[in-house]
Amino acid sequence: MSMVKAKAFFEKYPQSPYRDRLVEDMIRWCRREDTDTCYEIIVKTMPSDHPRYHEVADVLEQRRADKRRKR
């Protein structure tokens, strides 16, 4: 599923039981990809009221901080 479709799904079906499953799939995908861009896309796509939102945002911020320290 594209991130555009995922965002539309979250907006159209905010109480769907598949919401958590989709979020889990997105997080697993980003762990495999292991890029900042992937996490940025998730943060932009995932509803900010989802329980895992802050976890993903924190991972992204930590990745950015680690890169700044390496320079």
Side-chain angles (χ1 to χ4, degrees):
M1 175 181 288
S2 75
M3 290 299 166
V4 172
K5 288 182 180 179
K7 187 170 184 80
F9 175 84
F10 288 135
E11 291 170 356
K12 189 169 183 176
Y13 306 105
Q15 302 304 320
S16 172
Y18 296 105
R19 179 178 155 163
D20 292 339
R21 185 174 175 188
L22 179 55
V23 167
E24 291 299 323
D25 287 346
M26 292 166 61
I27 291 170
R28 269 196 301 274
W29 176 66
C30 277
R31 285 182 181 151
R32 282 193 309 268
E33 291 291 316
D34 196 33
T35 64
D36 290 354
T37 303
C38 186
Y39 286 100
E40 288 171 4
I41 291 169
I42 286 183
V43 167
K44 290 177 186 173
T45 304
M46 185 189 303
S48 59
D49 66 339
H50 191 279
R52 305 275 316 262
Y53 177 85
H54 293 290
E55 174 188 336
V56 174
D58 290 346
V59 167
L60 176 59
E61 186 55 38
Q62 184 63 45
R63 292 175 63 88
R64 288 176 176 166
D66 291 346
K67 281 191 176 184
R68 285 190 296 265
R69 277 187 233 132
K70 287 182 182 178
R71 291 182 183 168

